[in-house]
Amino acid sequence: MSDKKEFFPFDDEDQCKDLAELLFPYVTESPEECIARFPERNLPEGAKVTRFAPSPTGFLHFGGLFPATVGERLAHQSEGVFILRIEDTDSKREVEGAAENLINTLNYYGIHFDEGATATGETGKYGPYRQSQRGPIYHVFAKKLVKEGKAYPCFTTEEELTALNAVDKKEEIKSKDWHTDPNAVKEQQLDRRRFTLDDVKKSLKNGERFVIRIRSDGDASVKKPFTDLIKGNLEIPENDEDFVLLKSDGIPTYHFAHAVDDRLMGTTHVIRGEEWLPSLSKHIQLFRYLGFKLPKYMHIAQIMKLENGAKKKLSKRDMGANMNDYKKMGYTPECVMEYVMTLLNSNYEEWHAQNTEKKYTDFPFSIKKMSTSGCLFDFAKLDDVSKNVLSKYSAQKIYELVTEWAREFDPGFAELLTKDKNYAVSIFAIGRGGKKPRKDFGALGQVKAYMGFFYDELFEITEELDVKYDRSDIKRILTDFSEIYDENDDQNTWFDKIKMLGERMGYSSDMKAYKATPENFKGNVADVSSFIRLAVTGRLNSPDMYEVMKILGKEKVVRRLKAFALQI
Ligand code: GLU
């Protein structure tokens, strides 16, 4: 460690004041005046103020819907306020139209904000809610820190600027990325603090650009206890890095904007991904420097997925991670939110099984029931949850949902469905409405595969009968059945006919007898039914055949039986 010392007199009030004036001559508002513009909120006791703060770099992802839902639930469950703040300080990474897309998508999933950015502007008294429009506010507090000797300018050399461009200016000169040797970092840090007012004046005159760095007083070997509402009791080392507050274009880093915005917006609970945990020491320090009360923090664990038996982080590139993909696949907002809740609170599923008529917003959401280590995303589980949700809808509602979805994603299918609405609704009515409804599809995109065979345009034989069945038996049974099928038969008569045709060809209709001596038969009535099923639906699995045939109508049934008898 060197015996170098910083030499700007950070403890000389006048010099610090002069430095602040040199750097921010245009800032005339005092921090107190600024704070007064955002008065304390008048909320009931225990009300939480939360915010969702996406960067508009693309579409909303499953990993974004997660914290958004937590924020929404905690705010609205406590009669608090839920804010949408757009963190658009990184213009290079910004994608045009992304903010509007995010807003619309969140709205589609029923995540409503009380304040914040809207598709056409913004609403609320604590704005602006787009960080790119809050520039002057950040400068008020940057000036305050410089004035108090807690921050200082650092003029960037050409060399540094080039390096910056290489790292996409993300965090502006991340000293720790450049040097892995902590002593070298410390030396470099002290070097930065070695300047005089004259140096600053000269650099400004030369038009050099500068960043504002915090003058850190921390010691990384000192750990302080901290309680995160999700992660529990933690030990956080002090921050010892003079990290950047304002970048050379005057735009704040995430750290600085977070402290200023969450203070002025009155955020009580900061809900964000656990990837921010390593930066927490910076934020604790910054709130202290600014004289702000630290909000409560909730760091949500990364969502995981299973890949070849191992847990991996769900990445943005994963199939279906983008919420627009979910829409395309036909997972309705209600299904997705149901799944999100299942993942978020371990007792949600059980609660909903006991409170089937209630909405997820009636559920007492609890921070304590959240996973500390990362819940597992699983498409099969999403399907299960969704099947449950959709199975409770009426045939009419399913019809409407499917046609609306198909209009956007499968117009040909939409045309078929709307050509004869009653026909489609009667198909959806199969096995619906009872205590144990059928659960055939979890997404609207799966419906066509489930019921396409009802339409000649989509009908095709997609499976095969085992070679063990004598083809001439099959032909015979199908032809005979096509001759005796009567739409007006009740289910017993209908089934007796099938049994009788089978018996005639050596297929037992008595399952007990068959099981006792299978060698005495060619097969049983289930085999016979499968011949008919394949001929009529093209598959070996289908909803109740009796009902299916009634809906299809005699003409189609007979035509398909005969056609299959001919082709087999
Ligand atoms: N813009 C940050 C992100 O997208 C927000 C983190 C936070 O909520 O504070 O990760």
Side-chain angles (χ1 to χ4, degrees), residues 51 53-55 85 87 254 258 262 270-272 275-276:
R51 84 292 186 280
S55 305
R85 181 169 75 222
E87 306 217 322
Y254 167 79
H258 154 50
D262 282 317
V270 171
I271 301 156
R272 62 186 182 189
E275 66 275 16
W276 290 109

